[in-house]
C-alpha cells in the first residue's frame, strides 16, 4: 500500500484545506501553557474532528501516546476505513516538544520526513478530555479517554472551541464500536 502512504504524505503535507473559522472571527489556536506529559500520554478516542483528506472515512479512531524506555515519545494513530469492520489504518510517529516554553505544542514526525504541529488548546484538569488544534487553524479534534463523552462535557468543549473562533457545525462525530466501549468498561 505504498500508493496510500504516498497519497497520505502528499495530502497531509499540502495546505489544500482552508481554515474552518466562524465568519468574521479570528481563530485562537494558542496552546495551553503547562502540560503534565505523564498524564497526557496514553490512549485517546477521537470524538469529533474537522474533515481532512488524511482521515476521510475513518471511524473508531484512536491515538495512543507512549513514552518509550529511552524517553522518546511515540504516537500511534489508528482507525477503520468506512466502517468498524473496514480495513484498519495505522500511522506511527515520533513526538517531541520543540520549545519547552510552549509545552502544549507537540511536533509529530511521520515517515521520518514530514513534521506537523499539534496544539493542545484545552485539556481537562484530570486529563479526561481535550481540544486539539494545529498551527494552520484548519484542524480541530475533540478527544476523550473514553469512546463517549457526556452531552454536558461535549457541549462544554464545543463552547470552548466556538469561543476560540472555530465553527463547530463543521465537526464530524466519530462512531466507535461496542467492542471499544466494552473494552473501556472492563478497565473501570
Amino acid at each position: 500500500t505504498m500508493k496510500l502512504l504516498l497519497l497520505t504524505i502528499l495530502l497531509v503535507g499540502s495546505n489544500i484545506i482552508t481554515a474552518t473559522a466562524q465568519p468574521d472571527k479570528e481563530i485562537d489556536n494558542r496552546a495551553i501553557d503547562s502540560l503534565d506529559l505523564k498524564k497526557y500520554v496514553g490512549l485517546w478516542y477521537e470524538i469529533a474532528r474537522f474533515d481532512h483528506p488524511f482521515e476521510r472515512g475513518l471511524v473508531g479512531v484512536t491515538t495512543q501516546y507512549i513514552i518509550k524506555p529511552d524517553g522518546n515519545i511515540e504516537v500511534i494513530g489508528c482507525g477503520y476505513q468506512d466502517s468498524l469492520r473496514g480495513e484498519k489504518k495505522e500511522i506511527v510517529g515520533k513526538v517531541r516538544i520543540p520549545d519547552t516554553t510552549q509545552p502544549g505544542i507537540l511536533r509529530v514526525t511521520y515517515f521520518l520526513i514530514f513534521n506537523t504541529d499539534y496544539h493542545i488548546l484545552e485539556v481537562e484538569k484530570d486529563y479526561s478530555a481535550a481540544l486539539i488544534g494545529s498551527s494552520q487553524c484548519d484542524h480541530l479534534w475533540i478527544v476523550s479517554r473514553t469512546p463517549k463523552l457526556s452531552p454536558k462535557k461535549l457541549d462544554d468543549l464545543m463552547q470552548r472551541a466556538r469561543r476560540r473562533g472555530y465553527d463547530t457545525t463543521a465537526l464530524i462525530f466519530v462512531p466507535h464500536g461496542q467492542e471499544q466501549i466494552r473494552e473501556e468498561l472492563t478497565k473501570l
Side-chain angles (χ1 to χ4, degrees):
T1 110
M2 186 57 112
K3 285 182 185 177
L4 176 63
L5 176 65
L6 291 173
L7 179 64
T8 301
I9 291 171
L10 289 173
L11 291 175
V12 171
S14 65
N15 288 328
I16 60 173
I17 305 168
T18 59
T20 308
Q22 291 182 12
D24 302 323
K25 264 199 161 178
E26 287 285 318
I27 293 216
D28 174 6
N29 67 341
R30 287 175 295 158
I32 58 176
D33 294 334
S34 67
L35 176 71
D36 185 334
L37 197 54
K38 288 182 179 167
K39 287 183 181 179
Y40 188 78
V41 297
L43 184 64
W44 291 96
Y45 291 86
E46 189 174 282
I47 303 302
R49 67 169 181 263
F50 282 167
D51 187 30
H52 300 289
F54 61 92
E55 281 190 290
R56 190 156 291 140
L58 292 183
V59 299
V61 179
T62 59
T63 303
Q64 182 160 15
Y65 293 87
I66 303 163
I67 298 178
K68 306 298 266 180
D70 63 6
N72 288 321
I73 305 165
E74 180 179 79
V75 61
I76 303 167
C78 179
Y80 299 88
Q81 191 65 51
D82 299 321
S83 82
L84 292 164
R85 291 192 174 112
E87 179 185 353
K88 183 177 181 178
K89 308 279 185 170
E90 192 171 274
I91 188 168
V92 178
K94 298 204 180 308
V95 180
R96 65 185 182 88
I97 298 173
D99 181 350
T100 56
T101 66
Q102 296 182 316
I105 298 177
L106 305 180
R107 177 156 300 147
V108 180
T109 302
Y110 298 105
F111 314 115
L112 301 174
I113 56 168
F114 176 71
N115 294 303
T116 189
D117 288 346
Y118 293 93
H119 293 208
I120 303 169
L121 305 173
E122 310 268 343
V123 67
E124 296 301 302
K125 288 180 183 169
D126 63 358
Y127 285 73
S128 62
L131 191 62
I132 311 295
S134 73
S135 56
Q136 283 96 23
C137 299
D138 59 356
H139 295 88
L140 182 67
W141 292 269
I142 295 175
V143 297
S144 172
R145 294 298 188 174
T146 59
K148 289 190 85 157
L149 273 176
S150 73
K152 182 179 178 185
K153 178 54 59 189
L154 179 59
D155 184 58
D156 176 57
L157 287 166
M158 289 177 61
Q159 283 183 31
R160 290 194 241 174
R162 282 191 292 273
R163 281 195 297 270
R164 286 174 166 268
Y166 289 95
D167 177 7
T168 58
T169 64
L171 285 169
I172 294 169
F173 291 87
V174 181
H176 289 277
Q178 292 302 317
E179 285 179 21
Q180 286 177 312
I181 294 170
R182 270 194 297 278
E183 203 173 283
E184 185 60 35
L185 291 175
T186 60
K187 294 177 188 174
L188 299 177

